[in-house]
Amino acid sequence: MGRRSVRAGWLVLGFGFVGLGFIGAFVPLMPTTIFLILAAACFTRSSPRLEGWLLNHPRFGPTLRAWRAEGAVPRRAKIAACLGMALGYGLFWLAVRPGLWLGLAVASVVAACALFVVSRPSPGGRNGV
């Protein structure tokens, strides 16, 4: 596989992640930021111009730059992510009616994800939710 086809693959993947991210901006419980972080990483490998466009986007750019610079997640995003995870787990519980072990397994994964999000620093070095 040549360099051009690898670069094209990163570009296509980046556009796919941008599409998913923008859908997530309008569809409840669909994440936005993680897809845009992935898109920026893909564009880093394929198109500096598109990477710059994403990092300088008026709505999403500050969050992406904070993640890239500090691994930081804004307080509002932490709260929204944790509320979304809790709501998603509640819907899972009501719709699937899992047994004890499946319910605990999914709850453990959701809790681990929430702990990861909450443990990230806030932009500017402020910690906490």
Side-chain angles (χ1 to χ4, degrees), residues 20-43:
L20 290 171
F22 278 110
I23 290 169
F26 300 103
V27 176
L29 298 181
M30 174 112 171
T32 300
T33 306
I34 188 62
F35 289 124
L36 296 179
I37 289 170
L38 291 169
C42 291
F43 290 150

Side-chain angles (χ1 to χ4, degrees), residues 10-11 25 40 49 58 76 82 86 91 95 100-101 105 107 115 124 129:
W10 284 117
L11 189 63
R49 184 177 60 84
R76 283 184 55 200
C82 290
L91 291 173
L100 176 65
W101 295 112
L115 285 172
V129 178

Side-chain angles (χ1 to χ4, degrees), residues 42-103:
C42 291
F43 290 150
T44 297
R45 293 162 178 81
S46 62
S47 173
R49 184 177 60 84
L50 290 171
E51 176 192 22
W53 168 77
L54 203 52
L55 292 175
N56 293 310
H57 189 277
R59 172 78 173 106
F60 304 112
T63 301
L64 296 174
R65 289 190 306 270
W67 176 260
R68 188 170 273 185
E70 310 171 57
V73 178
R75 184 173 189 257
R76 283 184 55 200
K78 290 179 190 183
I79 292 168
C82 290
L83 288 174
M85 285 185 254
L87 181 60
Y89 181 77
L91 291 173
F92 161 76
W93 184 265
L94 292 172
V96 176
R97 304 269 183 197
L100 176 65
W101 295 112
L102 178 59

